[in-house]
Amino acid sequence: MLIRAVPKNVAALIQLAHQQYLLSFEHVTAVSDSMQTHLLSLMKGKIIPWHWNGKKTGVDIKVQRPILIGSSASIASDTSLKDATLSVVMDESQSQHPFSSSFCLGPLLDIFSHIQQRWYIAEMNYEFDRFDELRDLCRIGVLVAECLGREQTVFWQQLKECQGRQYEHKLDEKPIAQALLAYMESSEDVPVEHAAKNWLSELAFHKPESCPEQDWPTTERKLGADFDDIKGLMEHHGIRLTSIGKKCGYVHWQATKFDVENVDYPTVSEHVVSPYKDSLVRR
């Protein structure tokens, strides 16, 4: 079912969640910040009052709903919602076509069905876990490529290109990343492991001269947070950062060099032939 507009309040949104397993909004031009928060919570799982025959039961249930939004441009301004959004961009000829269930919603539902069918196998491949907060996005991307009849490597190529654009100027904004990159360039091609307190002292020698004092970590906790923040950026530059837990009471981090042009990306085995393979490849 296509719903013309996004609800204006959380009560109307909850009512829709009671009625529909999939929420789909058409011709959306903007969504308020507060409603974006409610949409995200509903996607992740929201506790709502359970109604039976239109009456409250006094019982709360957890409801989780996928959400489809048709718009001419991305409406997500909330960072968390952006991270949880998978965008499908149609070319110019497709964008002139009416947003109808026969043209867009049906194929998208088939993709969701394929993902659900294959999710258990993808989730059991723990190689995806090295992508941290992107691990489930990567699993979904590989399954979407599979459903569309493409090689799974196509997703990884697109992700790499997208991250390359994202990280192009980010290094200049992360002094701890600049210091780690300089440190690793002067080290041998072997994993380097230090306790967090030792990383602080080692990286201090490579601190950028232009770095403001407030942007440089001075505690082990802050260094750990900064390392978590720059993991993806470092992967882009051929350095894998891993927290390996506590040793003798101190948190240890390992930095490993690798060839970014020769990376084995995880895949989902037991390929299922897509019903769209022939038709989509010919387009």
Side-chain angles (χ1 to χ4, degrees), residues 167 170 174-178 180-181 203 223-236 239 241:
Y167 294 140
K170 194 173 182 179
K174 302 292 181 180
I176 194 66
Q178 297 174 47
L180 180 59
L181 194 59
L203 295 180
L223 178 70
D226 284 353
F227 272 5
D228 278 329
D229 182 50
I230 65 171
K231 275 183 179 180
L233 177 60
M234 290 293 94
E235 286 265 347
H236 179 68
I239 298 172
L241 265 177

Side-chain angles (χ1 to χ4, degrees), residues 190-206:
V190 294
V192 179
E193 179 187 329
H194 292 303
K197 65 173 185 176
N198 295 333
W199 274 115
L200 284 171
S201 58
E202 291 288 343
L203 295 180
F205 293 107
H206 301 276

